[in-house]
Amino acid sequence: MNISEFAEYAGVSKSAVSRYFNNGYLGDDKREKIEKAIEETGYSPSISAQAIKTRVTKLVGVIIPKLSSESCARITEGISQVLYEHGYQILLVNTANDYNKEIEYLDLFRQNRVDGVIFLATVFTDVHRSLLKKMHIPVVITGQEYKGFSCVCHDDFGAAYALTELMLHKGAVCPAYIGVTDDDKAAGEARHKGFLKALADNDISLDKHNSVTAEFNIDSGYSCAKKIFSGREHPDCIFCATDNIAAGAILYCRENGIKIPEDVMICGVGDSKIGAITAVSLTSARLHYKTAGIEAAQMLLNSIGRASNVPKIMKLDYEIVERESTNR
């Protein structure tokens, strides 16, 4: 099927088909007709790849969930380092953890001229999935593993497992968990599963009162620690899904005469700067965020200009950094 035949099938002009495959502006009605025709015919002209190669913009869209996040800043630093070295500029957008904003910016980049997108993902909704399938430019997802797309992620399960085992092997028998929503497949679900697997492998049970869900901040960690310690049986170790949450838990313990690590051990994930300046220095899992940004940018560059790409998954390892909060 040539471009004229495809255009007739789709019910649009040849120029509309050309604009679609060259990332040009196109109204939603025509774009939907073309995408429907592609699904029905499997049409993918070889000229598409050549057009992209000869009309690159040297612009890459980068979508991050939180501008003030240390982990996001480190990932963005890695992305910028690689892209700037190759003559690219980034269009950085901050969604403030608003899923609707993520969708809005994905669609914006889909319809406007950028050569690719790096998406620091948190939660995937059905709308995310639908929109990602329609992207006609390379997309690399960072921080999450998502089937069908190239991804750079961390071993969140392994990090949570190792930290929990560390505390259990130091004598903890009454654990607690302060996590984030399991809708977040990395920081939420994977770390939660790693924590629970460590308990199961050590024949340790978890009191339901000692498992709570927090937001990604210190205040929420403080509130969740308060809730846990309001129960009849106080935990002797707390796994926190992030260092910020752990910092809040440490603050609560300090203000209420709970000694760390004598009364309770606490650990977090991320090895952020805040963990080194808390009242008791925090044991954490070091995740290589800048490296993730570097690898994501390189992965994207390797995809730009190609008619098709086989999705690649890169999972980065972690390091356990033991400090005072578990030093029994």
Side-chain angles (χ1 to χ4, degrees), residues 95-106:
T95 66
N97 284 316
D98 184 336
Y99 309 146
N100 293 319
K101 286 291 184 183
E102 291 181 353
I103 292 163
E104 178 184 329
Y105 287 127
L106 278 171

Side-chain angles (χ1 to χ4, degrees), residues 168-300:
L168 296 179
H169 288 174
K170 287 177 174 287
V173 294
C174 185
Y177 174 83
I178 306 179
V180 296
T181 173
D182 277 2
D183 289 338
D184 185 319
K185 299 302 179 184
E189 183 180 64
R191 294 177 194 178
H192 194 189
K193 286 183 175 179
F195 168 79
L196 293 175
K197 184 64 165 60
L199 297 192
D201 287 351
N202 287 273
D203 295 320
I204 299 289
S205 60
L206 177 66
D207 187 324
K208 289 183 179 179
H209 179 83
N210 285 347
S211 181
V212 294
T213 301
E215 302 294 330
F216 288 85
N217 58 63
I218 294 172
D219 289 344
S220 188
Y222 183 100
S223 298
C224 287
K226 180 179 180 180
K227 181 178 179 181
I228 286 173
F229 281 104
S230 69
R232 289 177 297 178
E233 187 175 7
H234 290 182
D236 55 13
C237 76
I238 305 175
F239 171 83
C240 299
T242 73
D243 284 354
N244 277 350
I245 291 171
I250 288 174
L251 179 59
Y252 175 82
C253 290
R254 187 187 68 177
E255 290 183 355
N256 290 274
I258 302 168
K259 296 180 180 179
I260 304 171
E262 293 86 353
D263 298 331
V264 61
M265 292 180 282
I266 297 177
C267 64
V269 177
D271 191 32
S272 61
K273 293 178 181 177
I274 194 170
I277 61 173
T278 49
V280 178
S281 59
L282 178 66
T283 291
S284 186
R286 178 175 296 154
L287 302 183
H288 300 284
Y289 293 116
K290 184 176 179 180
T291 300
I294 290 171
E295 295 293 348
Q298 192 60 60
M299 197 178 284
L300 186 75

Side-chain angles (χ1 to χ4, degrees), residues 127-154:
V127 180
H128 283 85
R129 295 183 183 95
S130 176
L131 190 56
L132 284 167
K133 288 179 181 178
K134 296 178 181 178
M135 299 295 282
H136 51 278
I137 53 177
V139 176
V140 175
I141 294 170
T142 308
Q144 304 274 359
E145 187 172 341
Y146 186 67
K147 187 177 180 180
F149 284 83
S150 293
C151 307
V152 179
C153 52
H154 305 280

Side-chain angles (χ1 to χ4, degrees), residues 56-60 80 82-90 115 301 304:
V56 294
T57 64
K58 290 291 185 175
L59 292 174
V60 169
S80 302
V82 172
L83 293 183
Y84 291 164
E85 286 174 356
H86 288 80
Y88 281 78
Q89 294 180 310
I90 65 173
D115 296 332
L301 290 178
I304 291 174

Side-chain angles (χ1 to χ4, degrees), residues 26 52 55 65 79-80 87 97 106 233 235 257 263 310 313 323:
L26 202 61
I52 293 174
R55 297 179 63 184
I79 292 169
S80 302
N97 284 316
L106 278 171
E233 187 175 7
D263 298 331
V310 177
I313 304 295
R323 298 192 178 96

